[in-house]
Amino acid sequence: MYPRAVAKLIEEFKRLPGIGPRTAQRLALYLLSVPREQAERLAAALKEARETTVYCSVCGNLTDVDPCKICADPARDHSLLCVVEEPRDLLAIERSGGFKGIYHVLHGALSPLDGIGPEKLRLKELLARLEKGAIAEVILATGPDTEGEATALYIRRLLEPLGVKVSRLAYGLPVGAEIEFADEETILRAIQGRRQIR
């Protein structure tokens, strides 16, 4: 139905997460309809990102300098380490502006059904960082789903012998949400994560 090159472009878009056949088709046709310079800027940006972006050798975050700006920042609290599943989770926490410590990116969560065991996560690197003794607390900021909970539990057990304080992000009701529309699990977590009003 489409020329070979267009069909190939559609197939490549379909490989992206969250992109189905119709969206892939729309994206491909859109890029063919824009001025050539705009499509070339997109191609150049993708090429540059692939060539210049690496993972930080310390925390595992995406960076163009190694170590990354967060790890190299002396103003950050290097005794407080937040463990996240993916770089996008780190970015979400950074956007909140409330965390001034450092990070460790696992690049996934335990998922035996998907063939992701502890050996596929950056757990050896985490232990190596903790063995240096500068970390006083580890905050587990893995997802609230089954895989994230299993990963948090595994890490907590892994860190027990080290004597480091381990905490978990509280989960509960989002700001501005109506309680009547929240599911039972969210309400339960909100009650369990409650804190005293001062």
Side-chain angles (χ1 to χ4, degrees), residues 89-100:
D89 302 322
L90 182 154
L91 293 173
I93 293 171
E94 279 297 290
R95 276 194 307 269
S96 77
F99 181 71
K100 300 300 179 197

Side-chain angles (χ1 to χ4, degrees), residues 22-100:
R22 295 178 82 185
T23 303
Q25 179 181 326
R26 277 196 300 271
L27 288 170
L29 295 178
Y30 171 77
L31 287 175
L32 293 172
S33 71
V34 299
R36 182 182 191 97
E37 298 79 30
Q38 186 175 346
E40 287 173 354
R41 279 196 309 271
L42 175 64
L46 178 59
K47 184 177 185 220
E48 181 183 359
R50 289 293 303 169
E51 290 174 353
T52 63
T53 305
V54 296
Y55 289 116
C56 175
S57 61
V58 179
C59 71
N61 189 25
L62 291 170
T63 184
D64 55 357
V65 293
D66 193 25
C68 72
K69 293 174 184 171
I70 294 173
C71 289
D73 186 351
R76 297 199 71 115
D77 183 353
H78 286 257
S79 70
L80 189 58
L81 181 71
C82 183
V83 177
V84 296
E85 291 178 18
E86 300 290 347
R88 65 179 174 264
D89 302 322
L90 182 154
L91 293 173
I93 293 171
E94 279 297 290
R95 276 194 307 269
S96 77
F99 181 71
K100 300 300 179 197

Side-chain angles (χ1 to χ4, degrees), residues 104 122-133 162:
H104 187 83
R122 297 185 65 250
L123 294 172
K124 283 185 258 179
E125 294 86 346
L126 175 62
L127 289 173
R129 291 179 78 180
L130 293 172
E131 286 170 358
K132 293 179 181 173
L162 301 179

Side-chain angles (χ1 to χ4, degrees), residues 8-16 19 24 27-28 31:
K8 184 177 177 184
L9 181 60
I10 292 170
E11 285 303 311
E12 290 304 319
F13 276 125
K14 283 180 8 186
R15 294 175 193 268
L16 298 174
I19 304 293
L27 288 170
L31 287 175

Side-chain angles (χ1 to χ4, degrees), residues 173 179 181-188:
L173 299 170
I179 293 175
F181 298 119
D183 62 272
E184 294 81 9
E185 183 68 21
T186 300
I187 292 172
L188 176 63

Side-chain angles (χ1 to χ4, degrees), residues 106-124:
L106 296 171
H107 292 283
L110 293 175
S111 181
L113 293 176
D114 296 322
I116 302 173
E119 70 286 348
K120 293 203 175 173
L121 303 180
R122 297 185 65 250
L123 294 172
K124 283 185 258 179

